[in-house]
Amino acid sequence: MKDKAPVPLAFKNKSDIKVLVVAEDHHQRMAFSDTVRGCGFTLIDCVSQAQLHDKFERYETPIDIWLIDSDYDDSVATATAMSQSIGVLVGFSQAPYLNEAKQYAKWQRKLKRKLAQMLLLPALVDTKAYQSDTNDWQYVVFLGASMGGPSAVKEFLDNLSPTLPICILLAHHFNQTMIGTLPRILNRHNDWRCQVITSSQRLQAGQCLIAPIDKQIVCDSTGRIILLAKAWEGDYKPAIGQILKNTSDVYGSELINIIFSGMGNDGAQHLDLIQDNDSQLWAQDPSVSTCPSQPQAIVDSGYCGFIGSPVALAQKLTDYIGERAAVASSH
């Protein structure tokens, strides 16, 4: 570990501090980026060493802080010197995975302390990097849809109370130029707050967050949705199966997955793992789906716990939450 000596902070706002991350491991880059944004700084870029060599001369904004978890060779040293930065942090411990909430929080606090020392900004460590007691929901409801999905998901939301202790995450195969219209379609005639994810944020009760088409997201155990500067892999965008696996690994028995009308079988790739995590898996009745192949793939898997129309699915979810609440109160 090596870093420059602390220098006085000469910025009016934390957002004025520009940070560049260089790391070889994708997960490490994601954790660094998450912490930088959590500090309120501006992330210029998050790259590997090879990408830095290709892109460095194209950076037009000054780089104030370098976070480097890569070989600190002559080329990197030259780049940091040319940028006239106020701080360079080289080498840091490997970040735990996001579903290891306590260990990840500890790692973030350690990194924040280093940044606070570097910038002479003690207020950084006064703010918790992780807050696990602020959730106003008890269950995460993940919806997957494709062709024919908007009308089905809207009917589902129209018949579901936003006062339930749930937050909704929707992955819908949609045209990139049209995804911005989806919240207006889904919001009409109900009180759900629907929006496309454009930055890392938290799941909230009464809200339906829509996965972006052009960037991946990752959920953690405290309900944060972290937006990655990385495109979805594979043919489906967003990748319903990938999000379904991530949410099931993180939320386990507190997750209800519902697959609506759509073409193809996206969402059916990891169902054995979802079963092991005790997550619920339901599907729209293929016979009332505009495009039945996607929900049919869930039904054919043998793991589907309930099949129904959008109205029936909304009622099933309401009853399920009520039944679990009754069981919990009786203990």
Side-chain angles (χ1 to χ4, degrees):
M1 178 83 67
K2 70 176 184 177
D3 46 20
K4 289 184 178 180
V7 295
L9 182 64
F11 300 92
K12 291 182 179 180
N13 303 301
K14 288 189 290 185
S15 60
D16 294 335
I17 301 172
K18 308 298 193 299
V19 182
L20 181 69
V21 170
V22 183
E24 299 309 301
D25 180 71
H26 168 69
H27 174 71
Q28 191 80 339
R29 290 198 298 270
M30 182 178 69
F32 275 135
S33 302
D34 179 37
T35 307
V36 167
R37 293 189 177 101
C39 289
F41 303 156
T42 297
L43 181 68
I44 294 176
D45 206 349
C46 187
V47 295
S48 66
Q49 188 172 352
Q51 291 169 328
L52 174 67
H53 293 162
D54 294 337
K55 300 172 68 174
F56 178 68
E57 293 183 356
R58 298 201 296 270
Y59 294 132
E60 297 180 355
T61 184
I63 301 169
D64 302 307
I65 299 292
W66 291 73
L67 296 180
I68 302 174
D69 190 29
S70 182
D71 290 338
Y72 194 70
D73 60 16
D74 289 343
S75 62
V76 175
T78 300
T80 59
M82 289 175 60
S83 70
Q84 297 183 331
S85 62
I86 62 174
V88 180
L89 181 64
V90 182
F92 204 72
S93 58
Q94 181 67 30
Y97 281 91
L98 295 173
N99 59 346
E100 302 176 78
K102 291 183 180 179
Q103 294 85 348
Y104 186 76
K106 184 177 180 180
W107 182 90
Q108 277 201 318
R109 286 194 296 270
K110 181 180 177 182
L111 179 55
K112 278 196 170 187
R113 282 195 294 271
K114 291 295 297 183
L115 292 171
Q117 293 167 5
M118 182 184 299
L119 296 165
L120 299 180
L121 192 62
L124 275 182
V125 294
D126 294 336
T127 302
K128 292 183 179 178
Y130 239 72
Q131 293 182 345
S132 59
D133 57 354
T134 58
N135 296 336
D136 57 358
W137 47 266
Q138 297 176 22
Y139 301 94
V140 175
V141 179
F142 172 62
L143 312 179
S146 185
M147 186 178 294
S151 60
V153 173
K154 174 171 168 40
E155 187 176 14
F156 172 78
L157 293 177
D158 287 349
N159 290 274
L160 191 68
S161 172
T163 63
L164 290 170
I166 63 173
C167 50
I168 294 179
L169 176 61
L170 168 63
H172 198 301
H173 300 155
F174 221 64
N175 186 301
Q176 173 64 35
T177 60
M178 297 294 291
I179 188 69
T181 67
L182 193 54
R184 294 197 297 274
I185 295 171
L186 300 179
N187 282 339
R188 201 178 311 140
H189 306 136
N190 64 57
D191 293 323
W192 283 93
R193 305 186 307 277
C194 302
Q195 67 179 82
V196 178
I197 297 168
T198 57
S199 62
S200 297
Q201 57 191 283
R202 285 187 176 275
L203 293 164
Q204 295 181 20
Q207 190 173 53
C208 174
L209 294 179
I210 303 168
I213 305 299
D214 57 339
K215 293 180 181 178
Q216 291 188 31
I217 58 170
V218 173
C219 298
D220 74 14
S221 59
T222 68
R224 292 189 311 167
I225 299 181
I226 300 169
L227 186 67
L228 308 180
K230 181 180 180 182
W232 295 101
E233 298 176 357
D235 297 330
Y236 301 111
K237 305 177 190 305
I240 293 174
Q242 180 180 332
I243 300 175
L244 199 154
K245 180 182 183 302
N246 167 225
T247 52
S248 181
D249 286 342
V250 171
Y251 302 120
S253 62
E254 309 308 316
L255 174 71
I256 300 101
N257 303 290
I258 308 176
I259 303 300
F260 287 91
S261 174
M263 184 179 295
N265 64 347
D266 189 20
Q269 300 95 324
H270 307 287
L271 298 189
D272 52 343
L273 298 175
I274 292 164
Q275 192 75 5
D276 291 340
N277 290 332
D278 295 324
S279 302
Q280 293 293 311
L281 180 64
W282 306 342
Q284 182 179 358
D285 187 339
S287 68
V288 297
S289 300
T290 301
C291 192
S293 57
Q294 193 161 301
Q296 188 65 57
I298 301 300
V299 174
D300 292 345
S301 72
Y303 292 129
C304 188
F306 182 78
I307 306 166
S309 67
V311 175
L313 287 162
Q315 186 60 55
K316 171 66 175 177
L317 178 57
T318 303
D319 294 343
Y320 177 80
I321 292 171
E323 290 165 1
R324 292 197 65 175
V327 171
S329 63
S330 66
H331 287 79

